Amino acid sequence: MTGVSTTCPYCGVGCGVIATPDGRGGVQIKGDPDHPANRGRLCVKGAALGETLSTEGRLLSPMIRGQQATWDSALDEVAARFSQTIAAHGPDSVALYVSGQLLTEDYYVANKLMKGFIGSANIDTNSRLCMASSVAGHRRAFGSDTVPGQYEDLELADLVVLVGSNLAWCHPVLHQRLMAAKAVRPALKIVVIDPRRTATCEGADLHLALAPGADAHLFNLLLCQLADQGHLNPDFLHHVTGLDAALASARISTPAATGLPPADLAAFLTLWASTERVVTVYSQGINQSDSGTDKVNAILNCHLATGRIGRPGMGPFSITGQPNAMGGREVGGLANMLACHLDLENPTHRDAVQGFWAAPAMATQPGLKAVDMFRAVEDGRIRALWVLHTNPAVTMPDADRVARAIAACDFVAVSDLWPNTDTARLAHVLLPAAGWGEKNGTVTNSERMISRQRGFAPPPGQARADWWQLAQVAQRMGFAGFDWDSPAQIFDEYARLSGVAGTLGSDFDISGLVGTAYEAFAPVVWPQAAKRGGRFFADGRFHTPDGRARMMPVTASLPAAVTKALPFRLNTGRVRDQWHTMTRTGMAPRLTQHLGEPYLELHPADAAGLGLAPASLAEVSNSHGRCILRVMISDKVQPGHPFAPMHWTGETAPTGRIDALVPGLTDPVSGQPASKSATVAIRPFAAGWYGFALSHRDVTPACDYWAEGRTAGGIQLELAGQVAPEDWPAWASALFDLPSPSAMVSDPAQGVHRMAFTSHGKLVAALFIARTPVLLSRAHLTTALGTTDLSVLAGRPAADRPDPGPTVCACLNVGLNTILRAITGDGLMSVDAIGAALGAGTNCGSCRPELAALLSRHSHREAAE
Ligand SMILES: Nc1nc2c(c(=O)[nH]1)N[C@H]1C(S)=C(S)[C@@H](COP(=O)(O)OP(=O)(O)OC[C@H]3O[C@@H](n4cnc5c(=O)[nH]c(N)nc54)[C@H](O)[C@@H]3O)O[C@H]1N2
Ligand SMILES: Nc1nc2c(c(=O)[nH]1)N[C@H]1C(S)=C(S)[C@@H](COP(=O)(O)OP(=O)(O)OC[C@H]3O[C@@H](n4cnc5c(=O)[nH]c(N)nc54)[C@H](O)[C@@H]3O)O[C@H]1N2
Ligand code: SF4
Ligand SMILES: [Mo]
């Protein structure tokens, strides 16, 4: 079969992928050289897509209360429960919770069903946890939710400022484009603003490790500097209102509030002020805050005041996280929006959409935003809920409370690929969804480029596309206008509606795509008018009532202070090789090797104060919940401000669900939760024993702490408990569900127990127990599964096979020790030299910032010696 061109299902960069099924069940994945977003590049997650397509364990048929069911009965059940609930309690007693990973066509159907036919706007999306503050900031400033710029602006700029964005790990291909531009033109300066020293700081000219949450102070100070030093743009300010009020508020901010060294602060302010071509990229470090909308506007204010917007190489750039976060905003997936950038609260807009849809019951008021929606589920205002393509029992703030609310809801339907996600396990009706590569539709990336996702394999079992599920339920609820045969027809209807929106002044008018050849559809940026070059606002025309942009007065605030009882502020976010709740990336062994366990990155001074040793376990808690996390001591975080990743779940590490600790505190304008600033207490977890296990098949340990990761031949488990079992062989047999071990090494006085289980002479499971964290080479041990080599019980690699250490380059499987040996032993001096010697960093390039960090650490050491 020839390659199918499609779009990566992960981040908002929206890279083109060529997928070529090999005819033997496998799929070869390559970057699409013709896709304008990536020109053939892929990051490590994209490159590993082929390893995540196994259908083993997939949800293959609808289930009603744990029993297999037909599509007819499952869809009838969802429709009937929704209709009955509405009849008894009104339209606001039902809700849809959807996702920025849905395709535009899925999203369109969900939105039409809820806002036009059920007559409630209780449809919200995980974009509330992600982009809502940017949406609200854009609408306040521009009158519309419009991202003005294009990716190439990062390459054309003289200064790129990355605020609260770990671009190197979260938008790797865009980061590579930026670094490539800087390599050609070193005058391009890069500044990273992040309390944490991330991989993105490698290759940056300046890192501002500001006080957490102090961004609005920083941009207020910048606005003052712009005004005081003659950098305002009087011509552009004719198109802008609110300068004086914004400046008056900005004047209250003080340098001290930023926590920055005065020289660094001054360097940044001068650089930004004096550089015309400046792009300010921002992401979750800005959005996920209880004053996220203000922070967005503090950034937009500076670009509006200088007129640095919508022209090549300049502008504010809110970068989207999910593959279709932008498409969902365009289609009106948020509870307070209508389709095509129209306004739910504007009667003219509502009437136009109602007329177009021939809708019987338009919602007239915004629905509940995610956090409030789950509160309403909790207190019974919402009695029927349908969750599609998201895992709120893990990723919502106050996740334990959200999980309890879902569990207690009268009726819950979940559409997912897998039956065992933390959310799916709580459903009454489970609907098997067709996944990436099995379905068709469109997505919009961060630069407003619409691309096709195309199927290249049939869905397994009875799995069906999300749009089809939604349209079927709508029809079974008795609604007309949901009888499409294909996503192409839905896209066409949507494009026509956008034409109606265009006549009402909306910028989102893609009616030029009506009747487009859907199969051959090539990536296209809207607006399509060529003279704009895909950018907005250089002409000073905005979508506000008076056509002028609005600078907003921003009274900068800081997150509420920590307390004596909860003295640490917990930052959360992503790791390089995992995607959210790991339902896809968790399947690829090579993606587990980089950072394979939930951890707490803690400053050495904090660790010393708490008596926490490297690789020990910490118990992190507050009134919302409790986690147990592996301690990673690092001066990349500031004292008092540890960091933990968001990826682990009840399936992979039940005590690693970080949102159990995050309060449901939200921004008052956008409703976006403050996911990066929970206050917590930390203390050592009193582990009586630590363990590491390998198993050729999935097992569920019964102990205080466990974390699972996939390896080439099965799974690996990190384990710990307070009280050691009396009989380790019996405990191990029960864990693996296997008869007694075939080999064992024990030193009970030292608390050391090692045992191997074989089947037909081959290693199928192994357990390593110690009183202190198990310091054995995981990379070495995991290669033993399925072999006859029982020397693993010795726990050390043989002399002829040096331990490669933890994986740095996941594509070519090159470990830390191998790289360090080459740097020190062979005197390698550059990332390219490492690539030439070991291959590391030469495939997708995602690890290049880490290679650069290893090199710089080594050269520092040499300089100090
Ligand atoms: N590998 C990977 N990539 C992804 C994803 C993934 O799951 N894995 N998810 C995608 C999605 S949906 C999204 S939304 C994006 C998110 O992309 P990013 O926003 O880049 O990622 P995060 O790690 O959530 O947070 C970014 C940074 O904000 C910093 N930060 C925390 N508090 C503050 C603060 O007060 N001020 C400032 N300036 N910075 C702060 C954190 O230290 C962190 O480094 O990533 C997308 N890409
Ligand atoms: N503490 C903390 N919490 C956070 C964040 C943070 O930075 N810190 N970030 C927040 C952000 S920005 C985001 S975007 C969210 C992400 O959080 P979620 O959206 O909850 O996480 P995912 O793992 O992406 O969930 C997607 C689900 O859809 C399923 N799925 C995959 N393909 C399909 C399909 O084609 N159809 C259907 N129906 N289902 C499918 C997957 O198996 C999975 O269960 O997390 C938020 N939560
Ligand atoms: S940067 Fe990586 S995850 Fe993002 S779209 Fe491209 S290949 Fe996919
Ligand atoms: Mo996101």
Side-chain angles (χ1 to χ4, degrees):
M1 185 171 169
T2 52
V4 172
S5 78
T6 179
T7 313
C8 177
Y10 298 123
C11 85
V13 177
C15 295
V17 169
I18 306 272
T20 315
D22 62 12
R24 299 186 305 274
V27 180
Q28 190 207 36
I29 298 289
K30 278 193 334 198
D32 182 348
D34 297 325
H35 196 289
N38 59 316
R39 296 271 173 235
R41 290 184 181 92
L42 289 180
C43 78
V44 62
K45 293 187 299 304
L49 270 168
E51 291 154 52
T52 66
L53 299 174
S54 161
T55 54
E56 205 187 308
R58 278 278 291 272
L59 176 63
L60 295 175
S61 95
M63 310 281 284
I64 302 180
R65 292 183 182 75
Q67 303 295 316
Q68 275 195 20
T70 61
W71 268 115
D72 261 337
S73 56
L75 294 164
D76 282 344
E77 173 81 2
V78 178
R81 294 300 297 257
F82 264 61
S83 297
Q84 287 158 11
T85 307
I86 293 165
H89 305 284
D92 289 331
S93 64
V94 302
L96 296 183
Y97 185 62
V98 300
S99 166
Q101 296 167 65
L102 282 177
L103 304 178
T104 297
E105 292 75 2
D106 305 323
Y107 239 134
Y108 178 83
V109 181
N111 200 43
K112 178 174 176 180
L113 167 62
M114 207 64 205
K115 292 188 184 142
F117 290 75
I118 288 178
S120 163
N122 277 348
I123 169 171
D124 210 36
T125 136
N126 63 3
S127 284
R128 184 70 58 193
L129 319 177
C130 182
M131 304 313 307
S133 295
S134 282
V135 172
H138 287 152
R139 295 179 77 201
R140 288 205 308 197
F142 307 148
S144 60
D145 173 25
T146 310
V147 173
Q150 294 280 279
Y151 289 157
E152 67 170 21
D153 291 325
L154 276 72
E155 296 160 328
L156 298 171
D158 293 321
L159 170 63
V160 173
V161 182
L162 301 163
V163 197
S165 153
N166 187 5
L167 203 71
W169 280 12
C170 296
H171 299 92
V173 166
L174 186 57
H175 185 252
Q176 288 178 21
R177 283 181 58 170
L178 175 63
M179 296 316 287
K182 185 170 169 64
V184 175
R185 194 165 53 87
L188 192 177
K189 292 272 182 287
I190 300 173
V191 178
V192 176
I193 302 173
D194 192 314
R196 212 164 52 110
R197 196 169 78 239
T198 61
T200 307
C201 300
E202 296 303 325
D205 297 277
L206 180 63
H207 170 216
L208 299 183
L210 88 171
D215 304 84
H217 284 290
L218 180 63
F219 283 88
N220 273 351
L221 292 169
L222 176 60
L223 184 65
C224 297
Q225 170 125 346
L226 294 170
D228 296 346
Q229 304 199 350
H231 295 287
L232 299 182
N233 180 333
D235 290 338
F236 198 79
L237 281 167
H238 288 308
H239 308 293
V240 177
T241 59
L243 171 66
D244 292 343
L247 254 179
S249 299
R251 298 271 178 219
I252 303 166
S253 288
T254 61
T258 65
L260 292 170
D264 284 356
L265 174 62
F268 167 70
L269 296 179
T270 306
L271 188 60
W272 205 105
S274 60
T275 310
E276 177 78 353
R277 286 176 178 252
V278 50
V279 176
T280 310
V281 176
Y282 59 95
S283 186
Q284 300 315 333
I286 290 290
N287 293 341
Q288 288 173 340
S289 147
D290 60 358
S291 58
T293 309
D294 275 352
K295 288 175 180 165
V296 168
N297 284 108
I299 293 171
L300 301 183
N301 281 348
C302 295
H303 282 275
L304 289 171
T306 49
R308 296 173 187 168
I309 189 165
R311 285 181 286 145
M314 60 186 87
F317 207 129
S318 152
I319 170 157
T320 54
Q322 300 178 89
N324 201 29
M326 187 71 95
R329 285 149 67 174
E330 292 158 2
V331 87
L334 290 160
N336 52 331
M337 311 274 288
L338 206 51
C340 306
H341 284 187
L342 294 177
D343 192 348
L344 182 66
E345 287 166 280
N346 179 321
T348 315
H349 290 186
R350 255 192 342 252
D351 289 350
V353 177
Q354 179 160 22
F356 181 85
W357 280 343
M362 279 302 281
T364 52
Q365 282 172 18
L368 294 172
K369 301 181 175 120
V371 171
D372 293 334
M373 180 181 276
F374 285 97
R375 295 267 159 83
V377 170
E378 178 180 57
D379 64 25
R381 278 173 290 150
I382 289 174
R383 291 161 181 260
L385 172 71
W386 186 359
V387 178
L388 296 103
H389 211 323
T390 175
N391 197 353
V394 183
T395 55
M396 281 288 295
D398 223 346
D400 288 349
R401 184 171 167 187
V402 167
R404 283 194 300 271
I406 298 173
C409 185
D410 287 353
F411 179 76
V412 178
V414 171
S415 299
D416 205 291
L417 267 44
W418 308 98
N420 292 326
T421 74
D422 290 3
T423 307
R425 275 183 280 148
L426 304 175
H428 301 106
V429 174
L430 266 178
L431 303 170
W436 183 78
E438 301 158 4
K439 59 179 185 178
N440 288 289
T442 54
V443 291
T444 310
N445 74 4
S446 290
E447 61 168 349
R448 286 175 275 99
M449 180 175 287
I450 304 174
S451 298
R452 274 292 314 271
Q453 268 196 19
R454 289 184 178 87
F456 49 81
Q462 300 176 48
R464 300 289 305 248
D466 292 294
W467 71 263
W468 180 85
Q469 301 180 18
L470 287 154
Q472 282 291 319
V473 167
Q475 291 183 48
R476 284 159 206 254
M477 290 176 77
F479 300 137
F482 291 86
D483 50 356
W484 307 281
D485 295 323
S486 69
Q489 292 174 354
I490 303 172
F491 184 81
D492 218 55
E493 178 177 317
Y494 175 47
R496 281 190 287 114
L497 175 59
S498 79
V500 176
T503 62
L504 294 172
S506 169
D507 57 356
F508 184 76
D509 180 351
I510 56 164
S511 54
L513 298 174
V514 172
T516 189
Y518 199 69
E519 273 325 302
F521 192 98
V524 55
V525 168
W526 67 266
Q528 292 143 284
K531 65 177 181 339
R532 283 182 139 162
R535 295 182 181 83
F536 281 97
F537 306 142
D539 57 6
R541 294 215 319 268
F542 294 88
H543 288 90
T544 50
D546 66 1
R548 295 160 85 192
R550 292 181 288 233
M551 286 178 66
M552 298 298 297
V554 171
T555 308
S557 60
L558 290 172
V562 296
T563 60
K564 216 166 158 201
L566 302 172
F568 294 93
R569 185 174 308 289
L570 180 67
N571 182 4
T572 68
R574 292 155 170 80
V575 305
R576 193 189 75 190
D577 292 0
Q578 294 299 344
W579 177 262
H580 297 164
T581 64
M582 307 201 303
T583 58
R584 191 184 296 282
T585 45
M587 294 168 73
R590 69 163 139 151
L591 297 182
T592 302
Q593 302 308 314
H594 181 239
L595 288 165
E597 194 185 3
Y599 63 88
L600 183 73
E601 199 174 4
L602 196 63
H603 190 270
D606 290 339
L610 292 161
L612 281 165
S616 65
L617 292 169
E619 188 177 322
V620 187
S621 63
N622 58 21
S623 63
H624 303 280
R626 170 180 174 266
C627 285
I628 304 174
L629 305 169
R630 185 73 60 185
V631 173
M632 185 194 278
I633 300 178
S634 146
D635 64 2
K636 292 179 182 163
V637 293
Q638 300 179 23
H641 303 130
F643 172 86
M646 63 172 286
H647 304 289
W648 280 270
T649 67
E651 293 182 277
T652 49
T655 64
R657 299 169 59 254
I658 210 67
D659 273 296
L661 297 168
V662 175
L665 176 72
T666 57
D667 177 272
V669 187
S670 68
Q672 177 154 358
S675 312
K676 295 197 170 351
S677 54
T679 53
V680 296
I682 303 176
R683 60 175 191 177
F685 171 74
W689 61 274
Y690 292 85
F692 177 74
L694 294 170
S695 167
H696 68 134
R697 60 160 186 248
D698 248 335
V699 297
T700 304
C703 54
D704 298 317
Y705 174 83
W706 61 267
E708 180 194 296
R710 202 151 297 265
T711 68
I715 60 160
Q716 65 179 53
L717 286 164
E718 300 289 345
L719 305 162
Q722 272 173 316
V723 181
E726 301 263 311
D727 181 345
W728 276 112
W731 192 86
S733 290
L735 168 66
F736 300 126
D737 193 16
L738 288 169
S740 41
S742 352
M744 209 158 90
V745 180
S746 256
D747 181 352
Q750 297 296 319
V752 170
H753 304 270
R754 295 178 181 176
M755 52 208 84
F757 294 77
T758 55
S759 167
H760 305 293
K762 289 190 177 147
L763 187 74
V764 291
L767 180 66
F768 304 80
I769 301 294
R771 285 218 185 98
T772 51
V774 179
L775 296 175
L776 296 173
S777 160
R778 272 57 171 169
H780 169 63
L781 296 180
T782 52
T783 57
L785 258 190
T787 72
T788 53
D789 175 12
L790 298 193
S791 71
V792 289
L793 286 194
R796 272 182 305 278
D800 58 339
R801 276 188 294 158
D803 174 14
T807 303
V808 176
C809 171
C811 293
L812 291 130
N813 192 18
V814 189
L816 177 65
N817 296 347
T818 311
I819 296 166
L820 289 177
R821 270 193 298 270
I823 295 176
T824 46
D826 305 339
L828 302 185
M829 303 288 280
S830 70
V831 173
D832 289 335
I834 297 178
L838 306 171
T842 55
N843 185 42
C844 78
S846 293
C847 64
R848 289 175 71 90
E850 279 154 288
L851 297 177
L854 291 174
L855 279 163
S856 79
R857 228 175 296 150
H858 173 68
S859 54
H860 288 154
R861 202 173 306 144
E862 254 185 357
E865 275 162 10

